[in-house]
Amino acid sequence: AEQGVVHLYCVDHNLHDLNCKIAFDDSNLPGSGNAMKAARSQIEFFNSSTQALDKLCNIQKTTRSGQQILKPTQDVKTRWWSTWKMLERLRELTPSIDALIASEQVNTPALSSCQKKVLAEVESLLSPIAKTQQRLEGDKYATISLVPYLVWKLRINLKKKIEDDSISPSTKHLAQKMYDDFVDHRYGDGDTVFHDRYVLGRLQRYVSLHKIVLATAFLDPRFKGLDPFVPEANRTKVTSY
């Protein structure tokens, strides 16, 4: 900024390194029976044994007849949206894995019903964030004008999960942790989104969107009304700027 250059920070990095990593750790899923550890252990079992993997591929000819043969995907802590992809793939393969376990063709523990429920919920919780990251990774189109709307949408999605009484207490706890991190250390609570001077939090990172980002949304015909992702009281400030 001292040189007249504004550093906007990478939104994908914010969403992964400083938010979604929370879902990587079972300590943020109390009462889940260490669901994430169990999922990774099951995936590692197949990925480390060519015989077991061959059996998993073969049984899919019956359990997933006519569909593509899939292999388990392991997540990597530093790879964006990989935990969501791991859970999505495991959900698709679980009927095949359960069939192998039930017929005693492989020797690995089956996931409990509680673990399966939590893992499916975490997949659903991470899905909007992962898909936002994928959209912002596009290199054939400008992405910055999408950011204010997508940030607003992610905040709404996290709030809905916290208020959803159909999900398990484990996933609610994770959703609350992610929401608190999103609000306190990323992008605020949404009540005020336009700031004349950017708001700094820990490690000198923005706890807001820079006003230049909001201006790009205003200049994008898809978002020029700024509704509903910019509060009405802030819209005149954006247009004046």
Side-chain angles (χ1 to χ4, degrees):
E2 293 176 359
Q3 304 300 321
V5 177
V6 176
H7 180 40
L8 299 177
Y9 291 99
C10 174
V11 176
D12 268 17
H13 184 259
N14 256 348
L15 294 178
H16 174 75
D17 193 36
L18 304 174
N19 197 320
C20 291
K21 275 189 178 179
I22 296 171
F24 199 90
D25 192 339
D26 271 312
S27 66
N28 295 316
L29 284 167
S32 70
N34 289 322
M36 297 298 288
K37 181 179 180 180
R40 292 190 183 100
S41 177
Q42 197 172 79
I43 292 167
E44 171 119 6
F45 171 80
F46 286 99
N47 284 343
S48 62
S49 168
T50 55
Q51 288 185 335
L53 187 58
D54 285 343
K55 290 177 181 178
L56 179 58
C57 291
N58 287 331
I59 201 170
Q60 289 180 62
K61 296 173 184 176
T62 302
T63 57
R64 293 173 47 82
S65 179
Q67 300 182 67
Q68 180 184 1
I69 300 298
L70 302 176
K71 295 181 180 180
T73 299
Q74 183 66 274
D75 65 341
V76 179
K77 200 167 188 177
T78 56
R79 186 177 300 156
W80 294 348
W81 50 268
S82 66
T83 298
W84 165 71
K85 193 64 182 175
M86 176 189 76
L87 297 177
E88 180 189 52
R89 178 62 56 84
L90 183 61
R91 173 178 51 80
E92 293 172 318
L93 286 175
T94 290
S96 304
I97 293 172
D98 284 350
L100 285 176
I101 294 172
S103 60
E104 299 183 346
Q105 295 184 59
V106 296
N107 183 26
T108 185
L111 298 174
S112 69
S113 56
C114 171
Q115 289 169 335
K116 290 176 183 176
K117 175 176 170 59
V118 170
L119 292 172
E121 291 171 349
V122 174
E123 178 198 343
S124 176
L125 177 63
L126 294 181
S127 179
I129 301 174
K131 290 175 180 177
T132 292
Q133 289 175 290
Q134 289 175 321
R135 193 168 183 185
L136 293 176
E137 287 165 25
D139 58 5
K140 307 266 187 220
Y141 52 89
T143 59
I144 191 170
S145 64
L146 301 172
V147 170
Y149 170 78
L150 293 174
V151 165
W152 170 81
K153 190 67 176 176
L154 290 179
R155 188 187 294 109
I156 294 295
N157 286 336
L158 287 171
K159 288 179 73 173
K160 284 182 178 178
K161 289 295 183 183
I162 294 168
E163 297 164 359
D164 185 356
D165 291 332
S166 69
I167 65 175
S168 65
S170 301
T171 311
K172 273 199 171 193
H173 183 271
L174 174 62
Q176 185 69 61
K177 290 269 292 187
M178 292 178 69
Y179 177 78
D180 291 344
D181 180 78
F182 190 94
V183 169
D184 295 340
H185 305 303
R186 284 338 118 217
Y187 299 112
D189 59 13
D191 289 343
T192 300
V193 300
F194 183 90
H195 302 275
D196 288 314
R197 292 187 57 81
Y198 46 82
V199 181
L200 290 178
R202 65 179 183 183
L203 302 177
Q204 295 299 296
R205 289 187 175 274
Y206 297 164
V207 189
S208 62
L209 289 173
H210 195 285
K211 56 188 177 182
I212 286 177
V213 180
L214 293 164
T216 65
F218 174 73
L219 294 171
D220 187 325
R222 296 169 295 178
F223 303 116
K224 64 181 181 180
L226 304 176
D227 183 31
F229 55 91
V230 175
E232 189 172 356
N234 281 188
R235 289 174 203 163
T236 55
K237 292 183 178 181
V238 176
T239 54
S240 295
Y241 170 66

